[in-house]
Amino acid sequence: MNTLLEVKGLKKYFPIRAGLLGKTQGFVKAVDDVSFTVHEGETLGIVGESGCGKSTTGRSIIRLLEPTAGDVVFKGQNLTGLKGEELRKMRRDLQIVFQDPYASLNPRMTVGAILEEPLKIHGLAGTTERRQRVKDLLDIVGLTEHHYNRYPHEFSGGQRQRIGIARALITKPKLIVADEPVSALDVSIQSQILNLMKDLQEQFQLTYIFISHDLSVVRHISDRVGVMYLGRMVELAPKHELYDNPQHPYTQALLSAVPHPDPREVRERIILSGDVPSPANPPTGCAFHTRCHACMEICKTDRPELKQTTEGHWVACHLY
Ligand code: SF4
């Protein structure tokens, strides 16, 4: 499989400012040295609890947020150095679907205008062609051309997410970062949107980075899954390998709370003690050591590197 995207040592720190002069007092290390690759045509799921840095990772990759350090190499080109026109051109290939389609769609614009806007910005088609492309795409995502002149508030949550997906698709991107795309939807609608995303992936040879806190949803759609904790990638493996043989104690705890698809398989529930520590002041060594039942002395001082334990299975833990 060809590598489409390579993320190397990605960091995103947010300054903590205080006092009258707004002096920087420290940093929230939302993403702290994350590396992984994404292959052409695959779906890489990224899971973790709220605040683990998964959304910040996705947004830093497509430069909605400016990374603090690291490289994002897309189709052989380093995106972190791009500016102006070069960055704008590259953005056609990298799109995002947000969690809340209502908040991300301009309520004063019709659906047609919302979907035509990226084509205008990128100068991709003339007026007639733009209109036709939007109508075709509405059909592809399960809406109709009659929706062209409607406003976002006239749609249900599921339909709005279809519009969000259409907007991401309109520039014919290669990679889509889907940031909790079904979390705000009713369970009955979630599977419709997930199936739509799968169909579109096949039809347009798309590559997804699918971000979610929901392990069942990620299992449904992903080929490989990465688990993040406190700004770091702690485990990364093909889906079946990760779900059947989780190695990192954090992944094991997360999965122990998810019902196994085979009801004969009963997992012992691992209860995580304490809250996630603040990313402004993460624990030394392994960031998970304050909650880990297998913590050893070395874990308190030495940060474990992400290492390959078996073919394609990467784990950051001193147990391996
Ligand atoms: Fe637990 Fe140590 Fe592994 Fe961290 S490195 S997950 S503290 S055993």
Side-chain angles (χ1 to χ4, degrees):
M1 255 194 195
N2 294 335
T3 299
L4 182 69
L5 180 85
E6 204 173 343
V7 177
K8 294 189 262 186
L10 186 71
K11 293 183 183 178
K12 179 62 190 173
Y13 294 175
F14 295 100
I16 304 166
R17 301 189 201 281
L20 273 179
L21 299 174
K23 246 180 111 187
T24 303
Q25 304 283 320
F27 292 92
V28 171
K29 296 178 177 176
V31 179
D32 194 13
D33 201 0
V34 165
S35 302
F36 58 87
T37 53
V38 184
H39 306 128
E40 229 169 75
E42 78 164 340
T43 299
L44 175 72
I46 301 184
V47 287
E49 291 165 289
S50 160
C52 70
K54 53 192 188 306
S55 291
T56 308
T57 300
R59 286 163 197 230
S60 301
I61 287 170
I62 60 167
R63 294 276 303 275
L64 274 185
L65 291 169
E66 204 55 48
T68 306
D71 293 316
V72 177
V73 181
F74 177 71
K75 292 198 295 180
Q77 187 168 21
N78 196 339
L79 300 186
T80 41
L82 295 188
K83 288 196 171 66
E85 183 58 20
E86 275 185 324
L87 179 61
R88 202 170 63 87
K89 268 193 192 155
M90 193 52 84
R91 280 228 167 99
R92 274 186 228 160
D93 280 340
L94 302 155
Q95 292 291 330
I96 185 164
V97 175
F98 293 99
Q99 173 178 0
D100 182 351
Y102 196 54
S104 65
L105 301 174
N106 187 336
R108 280 191 268 273
M109 287 169 81
T110 63
V111 168
I114 289 170
L115 296 183
E116 280 191 26
E117 195 180 34
L119 294 177
K120 282 187 194 163
I121 291 171
H122 292 288
L124 286 179
T127 314
T128 319
E129 197 194 332
R130 272 203 309 264
R131 207 177 168 92
Q132 193 53 51
R133 218 150 122 179
V134 167
K135 288 183 174 176
D136 292 346
L137 194 51
L138 283 172
D139 186 47
I140 288 169
V141 299
L143 297 168
T144 75
E145 62 175 79
H146 303 297
H147 292 123
Y148 184 92
N149 287 316
R150 302 262 187 89
Y151 289 86
H153 73 265
E154 298 177 65
F155 293 87
S156 67
Q159 286 176 318
R160 282 201 287 262
Q161 196 54 297
R162 287 175 193 270
I163 299 166
I165 290 169
R167 186 181 51 184
L169 278 180
I170 194 80
T171 57
K172 300 184 178 165
K174 299 267 182 299
L175 176 85
I176 292 183
V177 172
D179 187 3
E180 302 267 12
V182 297
S183 304
L185 305 176
D186 289 346
V187 176
S188 57
I189 309 293
Q190 286 187 357
S191 54
Q192 290 175 17
I193 297 295
L194 291 175
N195 290 337
L196 172 68
M197 288 183 69
K198 276 189 166 182
D199 291 347
L200 294 171
Q201 181 170 39
E202 220 175 284
Q203 197 174 344
F204 298 106
Q205 288 89 47
L206 294 167
T207 303
Y208 292 139
I209 295 180
F210 191 97
I211 295 163
S212 177
H213 68 282
D214 187 329
L215 285 136
S216 305
V217 165
V218 166
R219 181 184 195 133
H220 184 76
I221 197 160
S222 306
D223 299 301
R224 289 188 303 142
V225 178
V227 181
M228 285 189 70
Y229 184 78
L230 223 56
R232 299 172 187 181
M233 187 72 79
V234 296
E235 188 159 6
L236 177 66
K239 170 173 71 177
H240 294 298
E241 170 69 8
L242 187 107
Y243 281 78
D244 294 341
N245 181 27
Q247 296 190 350
H248 195 281
Y250 177 60
T251 315
Q252 290 169 351
L254 283 184
L255 285 178
S256 76
V258 180
H260 197 279
D262 181 349
R264 288 165 300 182
E265 284 270 340
V266 182
R267 280 198 179 118
E268 193 191 334
R269 179 87 195 262
I270 304 169
I271 309 285
L272 283 177
S273 57
D275 292 330
V276 183
S278 163
N281 186 21
T284 54
C286 170
F288 186 59
H289 86 253
T290 52
R291 302 171 81 195
C292 180
H293 66 87
C295 179
M296 303 168 284
E297 272 314 304
I298 187 177
C299 308
K300 298 175 186 167
T301 51
D302 293 17
R303 176 175 172 167
E305 295 297 326
L306 197 63
K307 283 190 207 144
Q308 195 165 201
T309 54
T310 52
E311 178 68 31
H313 196 151
W314 297 77
V315 189
C317 173
H318 290 304
L319 290 172
Y320 302 95

